[in-house]
Each structure stands twice: as C-alpha cells, then as structure tokens.
Amino acid sequence: MKLKLLSPDPKVWATRHWLGYGLPFTIFIFMLLFYLTGEKHNELTDCGFRAQLCVPERSLTSQVEPKLKSGVHCLGPDKLPGQMVRPFRESLTIERDLRMPEFLDGWRKLVMLLEPLGTLFSFATQEASAKLSVLESYSQGPYSIHYHTFSAMADWEQDPSEPTSGLRILVLLHRALRWAQLCLSSIARVQNTDIGALCGEAYQRVLGPHHPWLVRQAANLAFLAFPRQSQLLAIVCPGANEQEAQEALSEVADTLETVYNRTQGLLTERGLLRGGVTLKSTGGG
C-alpha cells in the first residue's frame, strides 16, 4: 500500500514558522523593554554585576584609553566604526569625569552600528534611542550647563531614583553598553564558535540578573537565531576582508570597554550602584 504525502497546510506552516522565529523575537522585545524601563533591579556590588569581573587594582576613572590603530580602513573618519570610536574617546578627555555630549554622540553612532546587525540588536537600540533622546534634551535644554559632564549632572540632580533622572537613565545605558561590548568583542575575537551562544552568555551575565527566570529563558530562544560571524563582520566593515573587519571591531569593543570602566568607576564613587533598587541621592543644588 502506497502512502500519499499530503502537502502542508499553509495556515499550519505559518503558525509553526511564527512559533519558531517570530515568538522568540516578540518575547525578546518585551524583555528589553522590561529592562530598559527599569522595572526590576537586582543588587549590585561595588564591582558591578555579581558575575562580572572587576578591573584589577587600578582606578577605573584614571585609565588611559588605548590609541586608535592607524591604517585600519573601517576606522577612518568616513566609516561608521571610526565615527563611533572618536566621540566615545573624546568623552574621556577630562580625568575622572565623562563628557556627556560626546558620550551621547558616541552612543548614537553605536546605535547606527548595531541596527544593521540583526533583529536582536535593532530591538535593543530602539529603546536605547528613546533613553538617549531624554539625555540629549537635558544637555541641550535650559539647564544644559548641568549636563555637560557626569560630575555636573550628579551634583545637580536632587533625586536620581526618579524615572526621568539623567543618572538613572545613564545607569540603564551603562548596562546595555556592557552587553554590547561583550557581544561585539566575541564577534571580533572568537573563531569557529556559535556567536549567538556567546552573546547570549553575555546577556545572562550582564542583563539576565535583572530579569525573572521566564524572561531569561525566552532570551535563550531568541539568541538561537543569531546571524553568523562572517555576516556580522561584513556588515560592520563592508568591502574589507575578514581580518581587517575583526581588527576594526576589536578596536570598537576595546573603546566601549574603556568607556564602560570609566562610567563604572564614576557611578560607584557616587554610590549610584549600591543597592540597585533605589539610586542613592547625591544632593546638590
């Protein structure tokens, strides 16, 4: 007896396709919105996240950023990676402080760099853009003098626990920057490895502690659909060979790490990472 194979029902196929691809992305959107709106904060240590390594035996705010490599095509002034690296480095030119306009400019370029890399990155950058817009409105508004540097902002804001506080928004961006740095570093430096798994591990280390168990499991599903390393490198540095793209992306990741370390030290010195649930008020007028 011959068995006749039935063609798949288009409705059933569409449902399975959505469950396999659309559902993880939908859940991931919720996850990112949940995090960036600051609904849940777990306790932080003075070195940052519990699973995160500290910078050993040196002041986080006094580090000297590494020099930009010359001759790397993608780090030129007309290429997006180079355009992102420069303002971030300029934000560090005041010792033991952070220039906010340059920091925000670097973040804007980072958003532009991440968006083409895939759905997961674009979901992350959409909410980051909204947070950036709030800080930019402060740095360009009637009280802009108080938002030119981190120190000025910390002295000015009376209640950093308010949802619209520039300091609170900075803490959220600070964590998102760490995830981006770890993920981009993996893309640049790790060979023949599942990049989605590495970026997912970075999520579990940095952002996962601030999410409930169910959201963390949903994130694991979303990272299964991550693009291949070669695809990501070609997007970051179009027209370059893979080695050059890796060098450029390594430079990007190193710059983000330097900015993260400076910000981590500043937030810790002001007591803004202790407790996590409510940011400590710094007073000021």
Side-chain angles (χ1 to χ4, degrees):
M1 181 176 66
K2 295 182 179 180
L3 296 177
K4 183 178 179 180
L5 296 177
L6 299 177
S7 59
D9 188 332
K11 294 182 179 180
V12 174
W13 174 254
T15 301
R16 291 177 178 176
H17 181 80
W18 184 84
L19 288 173
Y21 296 94
L23 182 58
F25 290 144
T26 301
I27 296 175
F28 196 74
I29 292 175
F30 166 77
M31 175 188 68
L32 288 168
L33 292 176
F34 184 86
Y35 161 68
L36 283 169
T37 50
E39 292 298 327
K40 177 177 171 57
H41 300 275
N42 284 354
E43 183 178 358
L44 301 176
T45 68
D46 285 343
C47 289
F49 306 98
R50 289 194 183 101
Q52 176 186 311
L53 296 178
C54 300
V55 176
E57 298 182 1
R58 56 176 173 168
S59 172
L60 292 172
T61 58
S62 61
Q63 296 181 59
V64 177
E65 60 272 16
K67 293 183 179 180
L68 195 63
K69 293 181 180 179
S70 59
V72 179
H73 170 71
C74 289
L75 295 177
D78 60 334
K79 303 298 180 182
L80 190 54
Q83 293 172 1
M84 185 225 76
V85 166
R86 282 170 175 80
F88 267 133
R89 288 173 179 270
E90 290 170 2
S91 73
L92 304 172
T93 54
I94 302 178
E95 188 175 358
R96 303 183 68 84
D97 211 339
L98 190 70
R99 292 183 182 272
M100 293 306 299
E102 290 80 0
F103 173 82
L104 298 176
D105 186 23
W107 244 109
R108 280 293 180 193
K109 297 300 192 302
L110 176 61
V111 168
M112 294 171 62
L113 183 71
L114 295 180
E115 280 181 337
L117 297 185
T119 309
L120 289 177
F121 283 106
S122 63
F123 290 159
T125 56
Q126 285 174 8
E127 188 64 22
S129 293
K131 300 298 182 186
L132 289 172
S133 295
V134 175
L135 284 179
E136 286 169 342
S137 69
Y138 294 165
S139 66
Q140 299 167 9
Y143 302 106
S144 59
I145 191 174
H146 301 292
Y147 290 91
H148 282 176
T149 66
F150 168 84
S151 296
M153 177 171 64
D155 290 338
W156 166 254
E157 293 198 342
Q158 294 292 322
D159 187 3
S161 64
E162 288 293 326
T164 57
S165 162
L167 290 170
R168 186 179 184 88
I169 294 172
L170 180 62
V171 169
L172 296 175
L173 290 173
H174 175 62
R175 294 167 182 159
L177 186 76
R178 181 57 165 171
W179 174 75
Q181 180 267 319
L182 290 172
C183 188
L184 292 177
S185 181
S186 297
I187 297 171
R189 297 186 169 97
V190 180
Q191 299 289 340
N192 303 319
T193 305
D194 185 353
I195 298 300
L198 293 178
C199 290
E201 180 182 348
Y203 160 78
Q204 295 293 349
R205 288 175 56 191
V206 178
L207 301 181
H210 304 275
H211 294 156
W213 179 87
L214 183 61
V215 175
R216 294 198 301 269
Q217 303 313 306
N220 290 334
L221 291 176
F223 281 109
L224 294 176
F226 214 68
R228 295 193 302 272
Q229 182 183 35
S230 59
Q231 293 174 309
L232 295 170
L233 291 172
I235 294 172
V236 169
C237 197
N241 59 47
E242 190 167 299
Q243 180 179 353
E244 186 176 46
Q246 287 177 310
E247 289 180 7
L249 199 55
S250 293
E251 195 77 21
V252 168
D254 289 346
T255 298
L256 295 182
E257 183 174 23
T258 304
V259 173
Y260 171 84
N261 288 338
R262 172 71 65 87
T263 311
Q264 177 78 5
L266 293 170
L267 291 170
T268 301
E269 288 174 0
R270 292 276 182 164
L272 296 171
L273 293 180
R274 297 170 187 169
V277 176
T278 301
L279 294 171
K280 179 181 176 183
S281 177
T282 59

